[in-house]
Amino acid sequence: MLFEEPVLIYGAGREALSTRAFLKAVQPDLKVFVTVDSGTADIPDTAFMAPEDIKDAIRAHRFGDIIKSPGVSRYKPVFDIARDAGIAVTSNLNLWGHTYRDGRTVIAITGTKGKSTTATLLHLMLTRSRIDAGLAGNVGLAPLDIADKHAVVIFELSSYQTADMNFLPDIAAVTNLYPEHVDWHGSVERYYADKLHLIDRDGGFPVALGAGAKGNALVAKATRDHRRLLRDLTSDEQLAVESAAARSRLRGAHNLDNALLAAQIALAAGATLDGIVDGIRAFTPLPHRLEEHKLGGMTFVDDSISTTPEATKAALAAYPGRRLALIAGGHERAQDYGDLAERLAGYGVTMLACLPVTGERLATATARAAPEITVLTPPDLEAAMKALVAHKDAFDAVILSPGAPSYNQFKNFEERGDRFVALAKALFAETPA
């Protein structure tokens, strides 16, 4: 793809850097602007354009295309104005599709939770089966960075990316579907539609569904025809996956579901059962996803990736029979904490530290549903950890599984998780672990 007019990159994160590198390689002399809604725009070889100047720039046709980063909502009014003016809005993913799609097998995986683990497991299963496979999207490389390096490309895709994905996969998968990212999509209904755009398309490509997607009426409608579904695992295949998972570092029933889904896709892509088992055995928990740290005779679980109540429930269910202190709460995305609050006591939660701002609603719901749980309302993560020190006889594991994004107090979930681990080491470690 060659651009005849200057280009505006909207966003300045990992994908924006990848996009700029791609443009530099294919069109070294192309004029490139960059804009961000907040923060800095440290993208090399670009001219900064303030967001308030974009409408005037559109009217003056100072650029011919906008390449949008995933975190920037496609529903911002400025993009409608651009399209009406004949200025195309595309993405790093769609540029990959236009440039590198032909000649490659594409496997695309989405879902509200579990997609990163499923995609990582699938990549291990394929490579252990001696299949030339690469991993890109939200895990692995940015799409344009993986380029044409592999015969099979696995994309782990958020709803931000599936919303306007304009090429078809060879195999698509949906792990589950719960409300999330309402602020980006504008409504739960549009979130569902954008997420399911991955499979709700012409083309007849096969579809695999995780345990949390099966039986969902919206997923069934988007699948269109049950004959598109990949075959179920045989009893022997399922037993092999379950046995390997039981001896692996995968924790929790939800991660067994992820392994079963990955195996189903892997077999369809040509993997061997031995390669699938080897892939499960080789799996290392992804950073900030039920990542365990043993300190001072206690277990600390960094599950900062958790941004929904459903993810928090899955994390708690992975530690049966334990007395748990849960740290939850974060950025407001209209999460419903009613069911989570009612289940906390059954999961073994004895202490609950609720962080602003959604923690306020969780604290209220928990006080009503489970008054036996001690509820703390600290102003931030550091205060929460310090408060737990005074109650450490009441639990033997601390889980940071916020059930909400981090943006109100941290740059991202990685920063939140790193801070949790650092505080645990500073406040609870008796001896180096």
Side-chain angles (χ1 to χ4, degrees), residues 87-432:
I87 294 173
V89 181
T90 188
S91 66
N92 187 288
L93 177 66
N94 285 335
L95 286 177
W96 182 91
H98 182 88
T99 309
Y100 301 116
R101 172 67 179 90
D102 290 348
R104 257 153 289 284
T105 298
V106 173
I107 303 173
I109 300 172
T110 195
T112 305
K113 64 185 181 73
K115 55 187 179 294
S116 297
T117 298
T118 302
T120 301
L121 281 166
L122 175 60
H123 181 241
L124 287 167
M125 292 172 180
L126 294 183
T127 55
R128 294 300 172 111
S129 299
R130 300 183 183 277
I131 294 173
D132 176 25
L135 179 60
N138 288 322
V139 291
L141 300 171
L144 283 173
D145 288 346
I146 207 166
D148 57 354
K149 297 174 183 176
H150 301 279
V152 178
V153 179
I154 303 161
F155 284 121
E156 187 264 73
L157 301 176
S158 70
S159 57
Y160 304 164
Q161 294 163 306
T162 57
D164 60 354
M165 181 179 176
N166 64 11
F167 61 93
L168 297 179
D170 294 291
I171 301 174
V174 179
T175 59
N176 44 54
L177 190 67
Y178 305 110
E180 196 181 23
H181 301 311
V182 175
D183 53 343
W184 193 99
H185 296 273
S187 68
V188 172
E189 292 74 19
R190 196 151 64 184
Y191 165 72
Y192 289 156
D194 286 343
K195 178 71 81 174
L196 294 175
H197 178 247
L198 176 64
I199 63 172
D200 191 7
R201 304 163 74 180
D202 296 331
F205 52 88
V207 172
L209 301 180
K214 293 175 181 177
N216 184 299
L218 291 174
V219 175
K221 182 178 179 181
T223 304
R224 300 186 180 185
D225 186 340
H226 73 277
R227 289 172 294 184
R228 296 176 67 190
L229 296 175
L230 293 180
R231 71 165 179 86
D232 292 335
L233 299 179
T234 66
S235 57
D236 287 344
E237 290 165 347
Q238 181 164 335
L239 179 61
V241 171
E242 291 174 346
S243 297
R247 298 190 299 272
S248 76
R249 297 182 66 184
L250 288 166
R251 183 176 288 279
H254 66 293
N255 274 328
L256 174 58
D257 290 339
N258 293 333
L260 291 167
L261 176 60
Q264 187 181 21
I265 302 166
L267 288 168
T272 65
L273 190 56
D274 285 344
I276 288 170
V277 169
D278 286 346
I280 294 172
R281 289 173 177 165
F283 177 80
T284 300
L286 299 170
H288 311 293
R289 295 162 174 84
L290 293 182
E291 181 182 291
E292 293 186 0
H293 301 266
K294 305 289 187 179
L295 301 165
M298 195 172 292
T299 301
F300 291 82
V301 183
D302 174 6
D303 192 44
S304 185
I305 187 67
S306 159
T307 58
T308 67
E310 288 74 21
T312 301
K313 286 184 277 189
L316 295 172
Y319 292 88
R322 306 287 289 274
R323 296 180 305 150
L324 305 175
L326 171 65
I327 302 174
H331 177 66
E332 181 63 78
R333 271 188 180 156
Q335 301 94 332
D336 182 355
Y337 292 108
D339 186 66
L340 174 61
E342 292 178 359
R343 292 171 181 257
L344 290 179
Y347 285 132
V349 174
T350 59
M351 298 281 304
L352 174 64
C354 296
L355 302 178
V357 290
T358 64
E360 297 173 9
R361 289 190 286 107
L362 178 58
T364 299
T366 301
R368 182 170 55 249
E372 68 273 25
I373 295 176
T374 301
V375 178
L376 309 173
T377 55
D380 54 37
L381 182 57
E382 181 173 358
M385 293 293 282
K386 288 180 177 178
L388 289 178
V389 172
H391 298 273
K392 62 182 180 180
D393 291 338
F395 51 85
D396 49 49
V398 180
I399 299 182
L400 171 70
S401 188
S406 60
Y407 309 129
N408 61 322
Q409 294 195 336
F410 296 94
K411 180 173 64 176
N412 49 42
F413 72 84
E414 293 93 342
E415 183 181 72
R416 177 170 62 184
D418 289 342
R419 183 62 177 151
F420 168 71
V421 174
L423 287 166
K425 290 178 178 178
L427 297 172
F428 287 87
E430 296 175 359
T431 58

